[in-house]
Amino acid sequence: NTSGNDPAVATFGDAALAIGNYNNTAGTSLNPYFGGVDEFAFYQTKLSAEQILGHYQNATNANRTVSYSSLIQADKPAVYLHLDEEALGPDIAVNFGETRAIGHGSHTTEVRHPAPGAISAGGNDGSVAYHNRNGKSTTTLPWTAGNNPGADKPLSVEFWARPMRDQQGGQCPVNNRFVGGTGRTGWVIFQRNPNASYPASEGLGWNFRMFRGVSSSGADVNTDTDYSIGEWQHLAFTWEPVTDNGDPSGNGNNQWEGILTAYVNGVAVNTNSAALYAANLQTPEDSSVAADLGIGAYNAKSGLGSNPFEGNVDEFAIYGDYLLKPEQVLAHYQAGTNAHPAVPYENLDIT
């Protein structure tokens, strides 16, 4: 085959090499083959009979001392396809938490990964990058009991955030909120002003808002700390229930009063000791679909892709029915910023 053929003759371009049917010169996939192909190699030299026999004997020997691929590559093929790649499937965020596969997330079309990660050790940590241009950059996780323990149970949420834009108006890195019926439930995290030099709006730093199962209002805790565009921060928020308020509106949403605490870079920075909270239900009060969890923007229940966040999120964790202690939050931050931690960051989280 040669290149640069007369376009009038080479109607479909120069001849390509095809596996599984005829190549492009016929214009369609003619004479398809039904079967398997493995370890395809093309050599620009003639293999000897001894080489060919050696390849076959190596591949069929369960106790070979030299790998098949090493033997093939030693003969310098121009093309060598292992043909062992996994088939493309849904673009998922793999859950290593206790809920396993039912907690996997799904990325929408414009989520980018891997992006630069927050964790210092290892050198291969990656994050997920989101943009706020068109609402097509979100990760969603289905409702699970592990993500939504009752309001009578403690809850901890932890992740690393790297904001890449200071636009105000509700940029939302995480959303676990139900909207519908007569009362909102769940919680949401908002990016607020980077520092006090910005015009006063809805606060400083990061905002964790819990909803109380009555109307649309919620209970807030702001970090009230500065952050810088392009720099990572470790964030954690914990909920500790104290008093059972029952079902104030008679809509099935059990409300508790308790303590909501915000941490930045391993240190507790603010507390709301009279927060009100009602958790998302598997069967919401309006009998509709349960609230999913959105990362990078609002979840589907609140309008998938709305209020998008521009930046990176890394090492996102929800601890259902577990209250992270201050010393644990600090240990996580220190492990994440230590190039040689005694215990790897992910081991601390999973433990």
Side-chain angles (χ1 to χ4, degrees), residues 272-287:
N272 181 343
S273 58
L276 300 176
Y277 177 51
N280 291 327
L281 301 175
Q282 185 173 14
T283 303
E285 59 163 299
D286 63 357
S287 300

Side-chain angles (χ1 to χ4, degrees), residues 39-56:
E39 305 292 335
F40 177 85
F42 176 81
Y43 305 84
Q44 292 180 307
T45 58
K46 177 185 176 182
L47 290 176
S48 68
E50 292 77 14
Q51 287 174 301
I52 294 172
L53 178 61
H55 293 182
Y56 169 75

Side-chain angles (χ1 to χ4, degrees), residues 209-220:
R209 175 170 296 172
M210 285 185 141
F211 295 93
R212 53 195 181 97
V214 179
S215 72
S216 61
S217 60
D220 296 308

Side-chain angles (χ1 to χ4, degrees), residues 15 19 22 40 48 157 159 175 179 188 211 219-220 230 241 244 246 274 324 328 337:
I19 302 173
Y22 274 11
F40 177 85
S48 68
V157 180
F159 63 103
N175 181 293
V179 176
V188 62
F211 295 93
D220 296 308
D244 185 357
L324 283 176
Q328 290 175 301
T337 53

Side-chain angles (χ1 to χ4, degrees), residues 50-131:
E50 292 77 14
Q51 287 174 301
I52 294 172
L53 178 61
H55 293 182
Y56 169 75
Q57 290 174 331
N58 177 277
T60 54
N61 181 359
N63 298 312
R64 56 184 176 269
T65 58
V66 177
S67 69
Y68 181 83
S69 60
S70 297
L71 193 65
I72 299 298
Q73 288 173 301
D75 291 331
K76 297 182 171 29
V79 176
Y80 178 30
L81 308 179
H82 287 285
L83 300 175
D84 62 352
E85 295 81 9
E86 291 186 11
L88 292 174
D91 188 7
I92 65 170
V94 179
N95 173 36
F96 289 91
E98 294 300 305
T99 54
R100 302 295 190 266
I102 65 170
H104 287 343
S106 299
H107 298 304
T108 58
T109 55
E110 297 183 15
V111 173
R112 183 169 61 86
H113 63 93
I119 307 305
S120 296
N124 60 351
D125 175 61
S127 69
V128 173
Y130 301 98
H131 68 72

Side-chain angles (χ1 to χ4, degrees), residues 254-273:
N254 179 217
Q255 182 193 99
W256 278 68
E257 181 175 330
I259 304 168
L260 181 58
T261 303
Y263 293 80
V264 175
N265 291 344
V267 177
V269 293
N270 208 355
T271 298
N272 181 343
S273 58

Side-chain angles (χ1 to χ4, degrees), residues 1 15 17 19 35 40 61 92 115 126 131 145 178 181 186 281 312 330 335-336 345-346:
N1 287 333
L17 188 153
I19 302 173
F40 177 85
N61 181 359
I92 65 170
H131 68 72
F178 170 79
L281 301 175
N312 303 67
L330 179 59
Y345 180 88
E346 61 270 22

Side-chain angles (χ1 to χ4, degrees), residues 183-239:
R184 294 182 178 182
T185 59
W187 48 268
V188 62
I189 300 172
F190 290 109
Q191 176 187 350
R192 300 307 191 194
N193 284 332
N195 58 61
S197 71
Y198 283 64
S201 57
E202 294 183 274
L204 173 65
W206 305 90
N207 166 244
F208 191 97
R209 175 170 296 172
M210 285 185 141
F211 295 93
R212 53 195 181 97
V214 179
S215 72
S216 61
S217 60
D220 296 308
V221 64
N222 279 3
T223 61
D224 288 336
T225 56
D226 293 355
Y227 61 82
S228 297
I229 301 302
E231 292 185 6
W232 286 104
Q233 274 194 335
H234 177 253
L235 303 174
F237 302 92
T238 63
W239 157 256

